[in-house]
Each structure stands twice: as C-alpha cells, then as structure tokens.
Amino acid sequence: EVQLLESGRDLVHVGGSLRLSCRVSGLIFNNFAMSWVRQAPGKGLEWVSTISGSGGDTRYANSVLGRFTISRESHRDMVYLQMNNLRPEDTAVYYCAALHGYSVYEPVDHWGRGALLTVSS
Amino acid sequence: DIQMTQSPASLSASIGDTVTLTCRASRYIIDYVAWFQQTPGKAPRSLIYGGRNLQRGVPSRFSGTASGTDFTLTITGLQPEDFGTYYCQQYNNYPFTFGPGTRVDVK
C-alpha cells in the first residue's frame, strides 16, 4: 500500500520560512515524480510544485516561484517543500502527491493526508 | 494558463441516481484530464486519468469521457460514499490547473 506522510501542522509568521516534509512508502521512490498541491480554507485545489523522478526537472506555480523550492532525497524516500517569505495567502492544507510515472507530465495517483500551514500576521 | 471550468457548481441527487459532471478546458488538451473526489475533511482521492482510465480500486460505477476540450465524469448508481466535491485537472501544460469543483450532495 502506498503511503504519503506529511509533516505536522505549523504556525509561521508573515515573512518566515518553513520546510514541509513528506515520507513516501509502498512504491519505488525514484520511479515517480512528486508534487505538492494546496487547499486554502474553504477553497478548491491549487497545484504548487512538481519534481521529476530524477529530481532534474522542477516546476512551480507563479504564485510561489522564487519563494518555494521543491527537492527530494532518494536514499530516504523523502520529498520536501522549502517555503520562504511566507504570506497570509499561503495559509492552506498542503498535500504531498505521487504522480503516475517518472515525468513531470503525469497525473496524480496517490495523496497524503495533508499538513496545515497557517501564516499569521 | 489553461482555464478549467466545471458545471454544474453543485447538484443534489439521491442514492441510485446517475449523475454527470462536466469539465471544459479553455484550450485543446487531448485527453490529459484527471478527476478527483474529495469528501469533507479528507484528502482528495484520484478517480480517473487520461480522461477515461479508472485508477486502481475505483468502482466501475465511475466512468469518464474525453474529447479534447470537453470532459465528463459519470457516476452510475450513486452510493452514500460518493457525496462530496469533484475536481477535474488538466496535466497537458504547466501550470497544471484544477477546475473549481462540483459539489454533489444529498437531495
């Protein structure tokens, strides 16, 4: 069974930084691209970032470009989202997601339970 | 960016009903559409990819069609666990974009 486990909920002040973590199990980690998708309170889903199976191809939403960095650590089966210069509009549940294959052009197959980030002013 | 629209925004249905949800892309995206289900307080669940391919473990009462810009998700014989919000997403071009969702609730 595939399991994705994000780091716990957090409260950060405006302008602060946080690194989200996601531990992956139940699949051959290097064979799958990974994404982060967020959902603001009461709102819909918003794609944030994707990294290929090799880590060599990364993509970002315009709303986080230059502030967020996605990375992966193959020997630990972990994916990360480093978030800097946080804004109130970054408040959301952040979902870790495993894609259908190696490329960044794949759909999401599996979802984590989500981690709540609150950015307070 | 490719815009995804969904209709209706919400609908009410009864157990056993057949419901069809529609998603439209602002540009041609072949069949690079996925559908997701989300029940309140839970993470999304992947249902369909490639416009019509069921994810593993998804019941056969779910089905999808794809025609380049117009996509549908049909639930044949609605079950209690099917009530929730359904999102489509295009993965043909970055940034990948979601539709606003269709909420399916109990009539």
Side-chain angles (χ1 to χ4, degrees):
Chain A
E1 179 192 3
V2 177
Q3 291 192 336
L4 310 176
L5 184 61
E6 298 95 341
S7 51
R9 61 171 57 196
D10 237 310
L11 173 64
V12 180
H13 290 293
V14 169
S17 297
L18 182 72
R19 188 178 78 161
L20 292 179
S21 302
C22 173
R23 181 179 305 277
V24 181
S25 62
L27 53 77
I28 302 173
F29 183 67
N30 289 350
N31 286 359
F32 296 93
M34 300 293 298
S35 289
W36 289 94
V37 175
R38 69 184 180 184
Q39 186 170 35
K43 303 295 185 182
L45 301 172
E46 179 189 15
W47 168 79
V48 174
S49 184
T50 297
I51 187 167
S52 64
S54 70
D57 190 353
T58 58
R59 307 296 174 108
Y60 297 93
N62 288 337
S63 58
V64 307
L65 187 64
R67 300 187 300 124
F68 290 12
T69 303
I70 192 170
S71 62
R72 59 192 297 156
E73 200 168 11
S74 60
H75 65 280
R76 298 183 64 194
D77 290 359
M78 298 283 292
V79 62
Y80 304 100
L81 187 67
Q82 176 67 43
M83 303 182 290
N84 298 328
N85 191 19
L86 283 161
R87 305 167 179 169
E89 56 265 35
D90 295 319
T91 294
V93 174
Y94 285 74
Y95 294 103
C96 175
L99 303 194
H100 192 69
Y102 185 86
S103 163
V104 296
Y105 286 93
E106 297 279 359
V108 173
D109 274 4
H110 305 285
W111 297 80
R113 292 187 177 180
L116 175 63
L117 168 66
T118 302
V119 182
S120 169
S121 55
Chain B
D1 298 1
I2 295 174
Q3 307 302 316
M4 304 295 284
T5 57
Q6 290 185 245
S7 60
S10 65
L11 66 88
S12 297
S14 301
I15 301 299
D17 284 353
T18 294
V19 298
T20 297
L21 286 55
T22 297
C23 175
R24 176 166 288 176
S26 60
R27 296 207 306 265
Y28 180 73
I29 56 170
I30 316 174
D31 58 0
Y32 289 93
V33 159
W35 288 92
F36 307 98
Q37 174 197 60
Q38 189 176 35
T39 52
K42 297 292 184 65
R45 172 195 182 194
S46 297
L47 297 177
I48 283 175
Y49 65 97
R52 57 181 70 84
N53 303 300
L54 288 185
Q55 287 281 357
R56 187 177 301 180
V58 174
S60 59
R61 63 179 180 272
F62 291 90
S63 62
T65 66
S67 71
T69 57
D70 295 312
F71 307 88
T72 66
L73 173 69
T74 298
I75 311 171
T76 303
L78 204 63
Q79 296 300 302
E81 59 269 29
D82 299 338
F83 293 103
T85 302
Y86 291 82
Y87 296 94
C88 62
Q89 184 205 28
Q90 67 82 17
Y91 56 98
N92 187 62
N93 281 97
Y94 273 98
F96 289 177
T97 43
F98 289 90
T102 292
R103 190 175 75 182
V104 179
D105 59 26
V106 180
K107 182 183 287 184

